[in-house]
Structure formats: structure tokens, C-alpha cells
């Protein structure tokens, strides 16, 4: 039960924040009323979000994860942009042409004998100020290495979509709580 709370609490918080945005079409949100509450900080990226109605973005984001799980990274041109920036939870960063990034992904995937992904939820949003779309996915991933080591953790990936393709991924990890 405690393990589930480590996933549910951040997910519930994220959904509550995003639910405060006006739902519906990304183009219909320009008439959203302004909140009169003074915030103690000004957002440096944006504070004007709308829930997006583009299920295509969610589908391609989830397909990229499914292809990671199934070791079918050669399908990447279907959903990754010509260039891609990936910020890994460990601090590793790569920003390069899609084929170069996919080679790095494939090298990592080749060290694994198996991957299992359990998606908890996703949220599809649109930044009104920056005209960008984001798909955030919360999930548990269990990696089995060829050495026999098994590693599981909770993740949240923020995927930026431009021109219908994923161009940026911010990967965040939370370790599973230690068992008794």
C-alpha cells in the first residue's frame, strides 16, 4: 500500500494542478477568465495551460514507450522530430539528430534483456503562451539487465511535441520505497 502511495500522491497532485486549467479544445481557451489571486512567483516558462484534445500526441508518446519496452526503436522516425533533446534523470543529456539519439537509446536498450512498463496515467496539455504541447506520463518501469540485475522505479516523463513530433523529453525518477 505504501508503494502505491508513492505513485498516487504525485500523480494526484499533478492531476489536481492540471484540472484547475480550463478543459476542452486548445483553441477555445483564449477566453479563460483570469484568476485574481496574486502568486508569490512568476512562471518563467508559462502559467497559461489548457488541456489538449489531441489524442494523437498521447498515442505517439505511449507508442514511443511501447517501442522501448518491445525493443523496436527503429520505429522512432514515426514520432520523434528531426532533432531530439533528452534529459535523463541521472543528469545525462543528449541533444542531437534523431538517428544519433536513437543509437544512444539502442545501446542502452541492448544492455537489457527485458523491460516492463505499467502506465498509471497521462496528461495532455497545451501552453497557450508558448504554443507548445506536452504529454506527461507517470509510470512504473522494471528493467531486467542481461547480467540478471532487476531495477524498478516510478517515472514521470514530460514530452514536448512540436509539429506533431516529440522533440524534448525530461525523464524524472523516483526510487521505489525500500521493502521490509
Amino acid at each position: 500500500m505504501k508503494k502505491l502511495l508513492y505513485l498516487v500522491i504525485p500523480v494526484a497532485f499533478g492531476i489536481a494542478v492540471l484540472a484547475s486549467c480550463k478543459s476542452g479544445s486548445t483553441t477555445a481557451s483564449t477566453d479563460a477568465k483570469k484568476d485574481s489571486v496574486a502568486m508569490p512567483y512568476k512562471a518563467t516558462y508559462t502559467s497559461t495551460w489548457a488541456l489538449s484534445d489531441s489524442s494523437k500526441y498521447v498515442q505517439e508518446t505511449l507508442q514511443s514507450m511501447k517501442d522501448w519496452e518491445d525493443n523496436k526503436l527503429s520505429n522512432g522516425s514515426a514520432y520523434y522530430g528531426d532533432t531530439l533533446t533528452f534529459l535523463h534523470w541521472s543528469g545525462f543529456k543528449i541533444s542531437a539528430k534523431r538517428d544519433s539519439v536513437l543509437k544512444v537509446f539502442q545501446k542502452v536498450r541492448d544492455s537489457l534483456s527485458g523491460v516492463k512498463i505499467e502506465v498509471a496515467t497521462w496528461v495532455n496539455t497545451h501552453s497557450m503562451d508558448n504554443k507548445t504541447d506536452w504529454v506527461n506520463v507517470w509510470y512504473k518501469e522494471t528493467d531486467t539487465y542481461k547480467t540478471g540485475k532487476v531495477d524498478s522505479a516510478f517515472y514521470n516523463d514530460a514530452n514536448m511535441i512540436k509539429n506533431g513530433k516529440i522533440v524534448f523529453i525530461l525523464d524524472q525518477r523516483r526510487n521505489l520505497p525500500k521493502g521490509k
Side-chain angles (χ1 to χ4, degrees):
M1 183 65 176
K2 287 182 182 179
K3 291 180 184 179
L4 183 61
L5 285 176
Y6 280 99
L7 179 62
V8 171
I9 290 171
V11 169
F13 176 75
I15 290 172
V17 168
L18 291 170
S20 68
C21 300
K22 182 177 178 181
S23 63
S25 171
T26 58
T27 58
S29 296
T30 55
D31 64 344
K33 76 177 181 183
K34 296 289 183 184
D35 193 346
S36 62
V37 176
M39 298 299 165
Y41 295 99
K42 179 175 174 22
T44 58
Y45 181 73
T46 187
S47 60
T48 310
W49 292 96
L51 293 177
S52 176
D53 57 2
S54 176
S55 56
K56 177 184 180 284
Y57 299 157
V58 173
Q59 186 279 331
E60 68 186 12
T61 300
L62 295 177
Q63 188 61 54
S64 73
M65 296 171 63
K66 184 66 174 159
D67 286 347
W68 172 260
E69 183 178 43
D70 295 342
N71 199 12
K72 295 182 178 177
L73 299 178
S74 60
N75 296 335
S77 62
Y79 39 78
Y80 290 130
D82 292 337
T83 59
L84 177 64
T85 298
F86 178 70
L87 302 178
H88 191 258
W89 63 268
S90 68
F92 172 76
K93 174 186 175 184
I94 184 169
S95 186
K97 296 284 186 192
R98 174 184 54 232
D99 292 343
S100 297
V101 175
L102 285 173
K103 284 180 185 176
V104 172
F105 286 179
Q106 189 64 61
K107 183 176 179 181
V108 173
R109 184 59 180 85
D110 287 344
S111 70
L112 303 170
S113 62
V115 173
K116 175 66 178 154
I117 294 176
E118 298 172 50
V119 175
T121 193
W122 58 80
V123 177
N124 190 13
T125 58
H126 178 77
S127 165
M128 301 303 290
D129 300 345
N130 297 309
K131 308 292 187 233
T132 54
D133 292 281
W134 291 83
V135 176
N136 282 50
V137 183
W138 288 266
Y139 61 99
K140 177 184 172 186
E141 182 173 329
T142 302
D143 296 330
T144 303
Y145 290 82
K146 290 182 177 176
T147 62
K149 176 185 169 187
V150 177
D151 183 33
S152 296
F154 295 125
Y155 292 88
N156 170 238
D157 287 356
N159 298 267
M160 181 196 293
I161 314 292
K162 281 191 179 176
N163 299 320
K165 302 280 186 170
I166 301 167
V167 297
F168 177 87
I169 304 168
L170 172 62
D171 177 59
Q172 301 173 73
R173 174 185 164 125
R174 172 175 279 201
N175 291 332
L176 293 172
K178 300 282 186 208
K180 291 182 179 181

